[in-house]
């Protein structure tokens, strides 16, 4: 990747957005259920739910062009049938920092999609991803330990209900993310149908 000044860089990521009504409603219900704990959490806005395939971070114009090329190569693989199920936290429920809704697909096509994208990005000079891939949708980020015990209880309660929602993943999007005091603003730079 080329070197540029910080001013000319764009904060970018590749994700599968949640655009269908029923999956979006399911995620809002999960988030509202967890909000009952009154923990100190910065919640993700409803219109921002997505499954991140790769967080790229600061990227130059040339890097963004290479990123788009890699994402275009994913076109036409066909939609992926998945299920939204369960909730959890990274690094663990007891030490929650990031709250998430789970995403499963028995055929492991989401993991295959992420692997294809990662290999393509590495061939373009992007550094390899350090963390193992775990398909999920971020619901919120814990800001302090206040209310953490209650939040742990609510996470376990949500999981025990066994609620699920089918989700058809049909597009991959390259986003620019601009951080503002009122929350991030996501701007699609490229959308590719699967």
């Amino acid at each position: 990747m080329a070197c540029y000044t910080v001013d000319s860089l764009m904060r970018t990521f590749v994700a599968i957005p949640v655009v269908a009504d029923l999956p979006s409603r399911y995620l809002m219900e999960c988030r509202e259920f967890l909000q009952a704990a009154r923990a100190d959490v910065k919640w993700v806005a409803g219109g921002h739910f997505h499954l991140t395939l790769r967080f790229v971070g600061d990227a130059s114009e040339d890097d963004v062009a290479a990123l788009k090329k890699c994402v275009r190569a994913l076109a036409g693989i066909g939609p992926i049938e998945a299920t939204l199920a369960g909730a959890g936290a990274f690094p663990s429920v007891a030490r929650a920092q990031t709250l998430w809704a789970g995403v499963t697909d028995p055929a492991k096509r989401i993991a295959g999609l992420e692997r294809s994208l990662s290999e393509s990005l590495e061939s373009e000079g992007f550094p390899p991803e350090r963390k193992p891939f775990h398909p999920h949708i971020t619901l919120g980020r814990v800001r302090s330990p206040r209310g953490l015990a209650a939040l742990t209880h609510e996470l376990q309660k949500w999981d025990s209900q066994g609620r699920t929602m089918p989700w058809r993943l049909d597009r991959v999007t390259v986003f620019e993310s601009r951080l503002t005091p009122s929350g991030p603003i996501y701007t699609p730079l490229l959308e590719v149908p699967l």
Side-chain angles (χ1 to χ4, degrees):
M1 291 183 12
C3 292
Y4 290 82
T5 65
V6 173
D7 294 340
S8 66
L9 300 178
M10 244 188 274
R11 188 171 191 262
T12 56
F13 66 96
V14 179
I16 299 171
V18 180
V19 292
D21 285 345
L22 289 176
S24 293
R25 246 184 281 156
Y26 171 91
L27 293 167
M28 288 296 290
E29 286 172 21
C30 182
R31 190 186 78 179
E32 287 165 11
F33 187 90
L34 298 176
Q35 284 174 323
R38 299 191 182 278
D40 186 16
V41 176
K42 172 72 173 164
W43 297 101
V44 172
H48 287 175
F49 291 133
H50 60 272
L51 187 159
T52 301
L53 291 173
R54 183 67 174 271
F55 178 76
V56 176
D58 292 333
S60 69
E61 283 184 34
D62 290 345
D63 295 334
V64 171
L67 179 60
K68 288 179 178 179
K69 175 184 165 188
C70 294
V71 171
R72 281 189 191 97
L74 303 173
I77 67 159
I80 298 171
E81 303 300 332
T83 303
L84 298 172
F90 295 130
S92 68
V93 171
R95 297 180 311 134
Q97 293 176 357
T98 301
L99 306 174
W100 50 261
V103 180
T104 61
D105 75 305
K108 307 282 186 215
R109 290 188 63 211
I110 299 170
L113 185 68
E114 184 274 338
R115 194 168 36 259
S116 293
L117 176 62
S118 288
E119 289 170 1
S120 187
L121 287 170
E122 286 179 43
S123 73
E124 291 290 333
F126 288 84
E129 181 57 60
R130 295 178 311 217
K131 297 177 186 173
F133 180 67
H134 176 83
H136 68 280
I137 296 170
T138 299
L139 299 172
R141 289 186 168 72
V142 176
R143 294 187 284 210
S144 77
R146 183 176 53 87
L148 200 52
L151 182 60
T152 298
H153 179 71
E154 293 302 310
L155 278 166
Q156 291 165 341
K157 248 168 67 175
W158 178 266
D159 257 3
S160 71
Q161 293 178 4
R163 295 178 59 191
T164 64
M165 174 62 62
W167 179 33
R168 189 171 206 252
L169 294 69
D170 62 1
R171 68 193 77 187
V172 177
T173 306
V174 177
F175 286 101
E176 175 187 8
S177 172
R178 284 185 291 124
L179 302 178
T180 72
S182 58
I185 297 171
Y186 299 150
T187 304
L189 302 176
L190 173 71
E191 188 170 273
V192 173
L194 292 176

